[in-house]
Amino acid sequence: MPRRLLLALVIWSLISPQSSFSADTANDSRDPASAWIELFNGKDLDGWIQRGGKARYRVENGCIVGTSVTNTGNSFLCTRRDFTNFVLELDFRVATGVNSGVQVRSHCFTNATELNWKGRQIRVPAGRVHGLQAEIDTSARAWTAGLYDEGRRGWLNDLKENEAARKAFKAGEWNQLRVQCDGSRVRTWLNGVSAADLQDDLSPAGFIGLQVHSVGKNGTPGHEISFKNIRLREL
């Protein structure tokens, strides 16, 4: 190659803009920030409705705070609209000893309903919130971000075999939960660590709900769980 041509190529490589485009970037289908829907405005509970039990929900310092009360059933603060395929992200902080969860694709009907699942008849009482729940679990088993079917089938994807996800939970601190529902596949992440991965098409759509677990008449009231940065991107 002539020296002049070689020199020209070297100069061009130095002054030409360097692109950061890569194969990974090409395959990144994430939408811009404007595609995210803020489900909580940080000021009040506009867009939400309480169902189930009588736990108390309030807004404090830009967070939704749920407080347990005695002698009531599971309580849920639910979005007023349903969602089908989406990515949901939120941060939560929970007191030790509290059991909670985040409902996705969930329902609550005025009348009792029955369904058949794999030959099993399941009856859901009137007014009972039911559907998939990403667990928030402060017990020693540490199944936070496992998938439980509230009010219907029970555990569908616990974290017995996922030590990394069990260790990802940070007691007494803020944790980030991510849930992706895309067709029949439902996945969860806890603080960036992959947790549950489930194939389930029983309920293809439904509301989002923030749970405060029931406390019996002899239980201790006043346990709190806080939620913030609640946002959703539809797929």
Side-chain angles (χ1 to χ4, degrees):
M1 179 182 295
R3 292 184 60 187
R4 286 185 179 180
L5 179 57
L6 177 61
L7 179 62
L9 289 172
V10 170
I11 294 173
W12 173 254
S13 68
L14 293 173
I15 66 174
S16 176
Q18 297 300 305
S19 172
S20 60
F21 189 87
S22 67
D24 289 340
T25 305
N27 293 327
D28 188 349
S29 60
R30 289 176 295 179
D31 291 340
S34 59
W36 288 93
I37 302 169
E38 299 294 335
L39 297 183
F40 170 50
N41 62 21
K43 300 179 294 184
D44 55 41
L45 299 179
D46 184 42
W48 298 81
I49 183 172
Q50 185 169 346
R51 295 185 168 102
K54 298 179 181 179
R56 295 189 298 272
Y57 291 90
R58 70 183 189 277
V59 176
E60 184 177 280
N61 298 324
C63 303
I64 294 176
V65 182
T67 306
S68 63
V69 300
T70 55
N71 204 24
T72 187
N74 291 349
S75 303
F76 303 87
L77 188 68
C78 309
T79 57
R80 290 183 177 273
R81 61 160 290 192
D82 290 352
F83 299 93
T84 303
N85 296 317
F86 57 84
V87 175
L88 171 71
E89 290 184 352
L90 58 81
D91 299 329
F92 69 89
R93 183 173 61 192
V94 59
T96 301
V98 174
N99 180 281
S100 181
V102 176
Q103 298 294 134
V104 296
R105 291 179 169 176
S106 294
H107 302 274
C108 183
F109 299 130
T110 303
N111 299 317
T113 58
E114 291 191 3
L115 60 96
N116 185 288
W117 182 68
K118 295 184 177 181
R120 171 186 165 195
Q121 286 295 122
I122 302 173
R123 186 178 187 277
V124 181
R128 178 71 161 94
V129 171
H130 56 282
L132 289 180
Q133 178 187 120
E135 180 83 357
I136 295 176
D137 177 15
T138 63
S139 73
R141 68 183 181 183
W143 287 357
T144 295
L147 287 169
Y148 180 84
D149 193 22
E150 173 76 19
R152 294 188 301 195
R153 298 167 292 172
W155 279 103
L156 300 177
N157 194 161
D158 60 40
L159 301 184
K160 286 184 212 176
E161 308 300 324
N162 191 337
E163 183 179 4
R166 295 198 307 274
K167 288 183 174 180
F169 176 70
K170 297 182 289 187
E173 301 180 34
W174 285 103
N175 294 266
Q176 186 191 62
L177 175 68
R178 177 183 175 98
V179 183
Q180 179 171 312
C181 297
D182 191 1
S184 62
R185 190 179 189 188
V186 182
R187 302 181 67 192
T188 67
W189 292 260
L190 178 62
N191 296 322
V193 177
S194 179
D197 192 344
L198 174 71
Q199 291 286 341
D200 185 65
D201 57 4
L202 185 59
S203 296
F207 57 68
I208 309 296
L210 310 177
Q211 185 199 53
V212 173
H213 202 275
S214 62
V215 176
K217 63 181 180 180
N218 296 320
T220 304
H223 291 303
E224 292 187 344
I225 178 166
S226 300
F227 302 90
K228 66 178 182 178
N229 301 327
I230 309 168
R231 64 179 192 165
L232 180 146
R233 177 168 59 85
E234 295 185 280
L235 300 176

